Amino acid sequence: MSDATPSGDWTRTAAARRQYNLVGGAILAVAGLVLLSTSFLLHNPVPLTVRGAVVIFIAVGIAISLGLLRVQNPQDVYGGMALILLSLVAFVASNDLPGMRGFAFGPGTAPRLFAFTLGLLSLGVVVGGLLTAGPDISGYKIRGVVFIIGAILAFAATIRPLGLVVASFTTLVICAAAAEDVRWKETLVVAVCVTAFCCVLFPYGLNLPFQLWPRFFQLWPRFW
Amino acid sequence: MYDLISNLWLGMGVAATPMNIFLCLIGALVGTLIGVLPGIGSLATIAMLLPITFGLPPVGALIMLAGIYYGAQYGGSTTSILVNIPGESSSVVTCLDGHEMAKQGRAGPALAIAAIGSFFAGCVATVLVAALGAPLTSLALLFGPAEYFSLMVLGLIFAVVLAKGSVLKALTMILSGLLLSMIGSDLETGAERMTWGIPELSDGIGFVVVGMGMFGFGEILRNLENPGSREIINAKVTGLMPTLPDLKAAAGAIGRGTVIGSLLGILPGGGAIIASFAAYTLEKRVSKNPSRFGHGAIEGVAAPESANNAAAQTSFIPLLTLGIPPNPVMALMVGAMTIHGIVPGPQVMTKQPELFWGMIASMWIGNLMLVVINLPLVGMWVRLLRVPYRHLFPMIVIFCCIGVYSLNNAPFDVTMTAIFGVVGYWLVKHDFEPAPMILGFVLGPLMEENLRRAMLIARGDATVFLTRPISATLLALALFLLVLAVLPSLRAKREEVFTE
């Protein structure tokens, strides 16, 4: 709700739109294909209706990609399609869970109930986006995403084997690169200060169990 | 009445111990700091600071966390007035008139009236929480699973109606939240649900992980997109005290703002943001001379600031009496309470009266402290605002990372937070509101549990939700709201409110 919400009027040229749809539709279709092939690897057979829905989903993705469907409101069409995919994934994932037993809910009942409703409503969003015009999706700030997410992943990977000092310094430096107006000298000074602050506050000030320095016998990174 | 006073007295006894006063002060100060800094909200802060409270006694921990929440409402107004950037999303509307006032050299009175309004609203809300606590608790004891389920449906529908943008899209967000909350072990059978065999997921995805990812990291990604210019009012803030005409003009606005804020805070799905918008709109409607708004009208500062503070406090009512968090921040409070072994709900008041009343009394103490310490500190906050964002956000990121990691000492949680950060960014790009999704995610397990129980008790008869009177009323209300929201006339009005 801040003023930074970038959902303003953002318009692309017709050619750029076509290209966006080409790539976007292809991504959707590939994601659907991955889901379809996963459904064959599961022990319990996935019902035909679910598989059919996935196939239709792939078809729609291809149609968008080839420009056969007119995407009037890209925000709604892609947003809705992604949520339909989410509900299909939920159907496949909850496939092996037992449903109703008599009048008692099984573990699979509620997930399938919610997934079904989500799919239905998302379909409404997609259809709405195909019929009524809306603003384009504004460009992603790739630099920000790469460095911020990279910094967080770096923290996850280094905190266990390398300890808090290395992890927080690395994270701070990678993170700072996300800003367009990064100034490296200042950044390094700030990073040193903040690292020192963290290393005093969390393990000593708050008595949280943090290991400060690297454990040299376990140097390979782990993301989990 | 006598009960109320003796209860509040008990609460004062708990809240006024040196330790708890100190914690309240820390909470209020940190909250103000967070409120002042744009780009980090109270949700991410409370999530970040959860590990700090591990070592504290439960009462102290909750007093501090509550202090952060309402302190942030105070701090947000400072940034809005001086920099024209909302420090907190609930003070977006304060920018309109507050910054205009500052430009006209009346930053002092604007800050003062915001603080006075907040304090007044805080006092009223404290009494309201205390007064409504007991009756609502006894109402809650009448509730069976069916009623609880219907109440949560109503709450989610409220969240949809009050969210901006398309109703349909808000509904899809709620269902995505519900669906995500199903991941992990089933409570009744222990079956692994939708975990894809990943052992780290068998406990489910933590609320902090989702909230921090979507609101903490997602917000940073969004902020990097438009750095924006910051024009800080350079002139020294002089003449803090508002003049008598100022006070007269603002008095009515403070009163109305408090009422609206209190009401919207109690409603599930409401909260401080909506309250401030609604109060501003009302003020414009009732004003004899609406054209002054946007050009430095003092009512335009007083009303939303009173409303957001009142709402921040009354939103504790459903949490403490019914055990249902009305907004994401309160959901985080549920997490904090569970960490300390407290199950939020009607039994808190009867079994742990010192906790319930201590927290309420501390809110009043906190408000008093805020109004006293805040105005002298304005100079310091302004200096803080000069720290460029390029240095600020790496700090936010590292604190978030450490906060998430220290919850379970699990790097996996940090990785998941990164994923949800991208999800949050993606959602905003596609014009989906993350708030209803978080609410759905929080209420999901509660809803499923009550749905299953209600169905089991009714022997599989789904009409039980319609045959029990309280449940039927709640559902009818939900349906009515939904229909209202979809009706074209109201839709136009909603859009008008949000574009203002």
Side-chain angles (χ1 to χ4, degrees):
Chain A
M1 282 232 182
S2 68
D3 55 349
T5 318
S7 58
D9 295 316
W10 178 286
T11 38
R12 294 163 198 273
T13 59
R17 263 196 155 188
R18 263 202 300 282
Q19 198 175 357
Y20 195 97
N21 289 338
L22 184 72
V23 178
I27 291 175
L28 288 175
V30 169
L33 271 174
V34 171
L35 181 63
L36 191 66
S37 42
T38 327
S39 77
F40 285 101
L41 298 176
L42 297 175
H43 296 299
N44 285 21
V46 177
L48 261 181
T49 40
V50 174
R51 274 197 193 139
V54 178
V55 170
I56 295 173
F57 180 86
I58 297 170
V60 172
I62 294 173
I64 291 175
S65 183
L66 296 180
L68 300 175
L69 280 171
R70 251 184 88 211
V71 180
Q72 298 222 47
N73 183 346
Q75 289 184 345
D76 282 9
V77 171
Y78 289 110
M81 283 298 274
L83 292 179
I84 292 180
L85 185 69
L86 177 70
S87 81
L88 290 174
V89 169
F91 261 112
V92 174
S94 64
N95 183 52
D96 53 342
L97 297 169
M100 299 288 280
R101 279 164 302 180
F103 46 74
F105 271 35
T109 315
R112 279 195 284 269
L113 188 70
F114 292 143
F116 180 74
T117 324
L118 174 65
L120 218 58
L121 290 173
S122 310
L123 191 65
V125 174
V126 173
V127 170
L130 288 174
L131 296 179
T132 51
D136 272 314
I137 299 158
S138 58
Y140 288 89
K141 198 89 178 170
I142 299 295
R143 179 179 180 143
V145 177
V146 168
F147 285 107
I148 300 268
I149 299 306
I152 302 168
L153 291 179
F155 184 86
T158 52
I159 182 73
R160 276 277 170 83
L162 295 181
L164 187 60
V165 177
V166 179
S168 50
F169 186 79
T170 325
T171 309
L172 284 163
V173 171
I174 299 177
C175 199
E180 233 124 69
D181 54 348
V182 58
R183 293 181 197 167
W184 286 109
K185 267 184 202 157
E186 283 178 31
T187 298
L188 286 179
V189 175
V190 172
V192 169
C193 295
V194 176
T195 304
F197 177 71
C198 288
C199 295
V200 173
L201 178 70
F202 291 98
Y204 298 106
L206 300 169
N207 259 330
L208 293 171
F210 272 107
Q211 180 205 335
L212 282 180
W213 299 101
R215 231 182 294 177
F216 280 106
F217 49 88
Q218 195 205 337
L219 277 176
W220 54 89
R222 275 169 64 107
F223 288 92
W224 51 89
Chain B
M1 194 61 206
Y2 175 73
D3 272 358
L4 186 66
I5 292 169
S6 70
N7 281 331
L8 278 178
W9 187 248
L10 168 79
M12 275 297 165
V14 177
T17 55
M19 174 70 175
N20 284 343
I21 289 188
F22 176 70
L23 287 173
C24 186
L25 177 70
I26 296 279
L29 271 183
V30 171
T32 317
L33 170 74
I34 293 309
V36 167
L37 293 178
I40 176 159
S42 36
L43 187 95
T45 316
I46 295 183
M48 233 153 59
L49 295 181
L50 267 186
I52 297 185
T53 66
F54 286 171
L56 298 174
V59 186
L62 291 177
I63 284 178
M64 192 173 115
L65 292 176
I68 295 174
Y69 187 37
Y70 56 73
Q73 313 304 327
Y74 271 79
S77 60
T78 311
T79 318
S80 293
I81 291 169
L82 295 177
V83 200
N84 203 15
I85 294 176
E88 194 73 5
S89 42
S90 55
S91 37
V92 174
V93 277
T94 313
C95 290
L96 300 175
D97 280 292
H99 191 64
E100 278 306 312
M101 279 181 79
K103 272 194 197 155
Q104 295 161 10
R106 303 213 300 143
L111 288 169
I113 210 74
I116 294 170
S118 299
F119 177 66
F120 176 77
C123 293
V124 173
T126 305
V127 174
L128 203 65
V129 176
L132 281 181
L136 270 178
T137 305
S138 46
L139 182 73
L141 295 176
L142 294 177
F143 274 31
E147 282 79 13
Y148 263 111
F149 177 78
S150 305
L151 183 68
M152 282 183 264
V153 171
L154 178 62
L156 290 177
I157 296 298
F158 256 120
V160 168
V161 176
L162 294 177
K164 63 171 183 177
S166 145
V167 170
L168 188 61
K169 284 168 102 171
L171 280 174
T172 58
M173 279 296 93
I174 283 184
L175 279 153
S176 320
L178 290 174
L179 203 54
L180 278 179
S181 73
M182 299 287 113
I183 294 173
S185 307
D186 175 31
L187 279 179
E188 274 174 38
T189 58
E192 299 250 314
R193 300 202 282 189
M194 302 192 275
T195 58
W196 299 99
I198 302 169
E200 280 85 357
L201 278 181
S202 58
D203 259 353
I205 304 173
F207 171 71
V208 175
V209 169
V210 181
M212 187 91 91
M214 302 231 289
F215 284 92
F217 295 145
E219 187 79 33
I220 293 175
L221 288 174
R222 241 174 299 159
N223 286 342
L224 283 175
E225 216 161 72
N226 36 349
S229 59
R230 292 192 187 183
E231 28 158 343
I232 300 179
I233 295 293
N234 272 309
K236 227 174 151 7
V237 180
T238 48
L240 262 182
M241 274 332 282
T243 56
L244 204 61
D246 278 347
L247 280 177
K248 253 188 206 151
I254 291 177
R256 284 185 291 271
T258 305
V259 173
I260 288 201
S262 306
L263 284 176
L264 284 174
I266 299 176
L267 294 181
I273 304 170
I274 305 295
S276 58
F277 274 95
Y280 189 80
T281 316
L282 177 81
E283 222 36 62
K284 222 172 159 179
R285 286 275 151 76
V286 300
S287 169
K288 288 192 197 89
N289 189 0
S291 61
R292 285 189 308 121
F293 282 85
H295 301 286
I298 198 158
E299 298 97 312
V301 178
E305 281 307 310
S306 320
N308 68 24
N309 212 48
Q313 274 179 264
T314 51
S315 54
F316 278 89
I317 293 177
L319 176 70
L320 291 173
T321 55
L322 304 173
I324 294 175
N327 61 41
V329 177
M330 288 302 115
L332 211 52
M333 294 295 284
V334 175
M337 289 172 131
T338 355
I339 285 172
H340 289 282
I342 306 159
V343 182
Q347 65 279 18
V348 172
M349 206 171 153
T350 43
K351 285 195 188 139
Q352 286 151 308
E354 75 290 340
L355 180 109
F356 184 89
W357 295 107
M359 209 165 131
I360 288 170
S362 86
M363 290 182 189
W364 190 78
I365 296 180
N367 273 298
L368 186 65
M369 282 198 288
L370 278 168
V371 82
V372 173
I373 58 177
N374 235 1
L375 294 176
L377 283 180
V378 165
M380 196 182 99
W381 300 139
V382 171
R383 216 167 305 146
L384 201 72
L385 279 170
R386 293 185 200 279
V387 176
Y389 193 66
R390 62 169 179 276
H391 293 320
L392 215 52
F393 76 83
M395 293 186 213
I396 301 174
V397 168
I398 190 72
F399 286 137
C400 286
C401 285
I402 294 178
V404 170
Y405 174 73
S406 56
L407 276 179
N408 296 321
N409 278 332
F412 179 78
D413 282 354
V414 183
T415 310
M416 285 298 283
T417 320
I419 295 171
F420 277 104
V422 178
V423 171
Y425 185 51
W426 183 90
L427 285 177
V428 171
K429 283 276 172 198
H430 292 79
D431 208 19
F432 285 97
E433 274 279 310
M437 173 165 173
I438 293 275
L439 209 56
F441 182 78
V442 171
L443 291 180
L446 270 176
M447 263 181 108
E448 193 202 0
E449 197 188 327
N450 283 299
L451 177 65
R452 278 165 99 161
R453 229 184 267 163
M455 291 291 276
L456 199 61
I457 293 171
R459 312 198 135 247
D461 179 13
T463 56
V464 60
F465 297 104
L466 302 175
T467 46
R468 295 184 58 127
I470 301 180
S471 163
T473 319
L474 291 169
L475 281 182
L477 201 59
L479 187 70
F480 175 69
L481 276 171
L482 199 58
V483 170
L484 263 187
V486 186
L487 280 184
S489 63
L490 196 92
R491 214 154 90 194
K493 205 166 267 173
R494 254 178 80 219
E495 252 138 53
E496 186 187 321
V497 170
F498 281 114
T499 47
E500 257 170 35

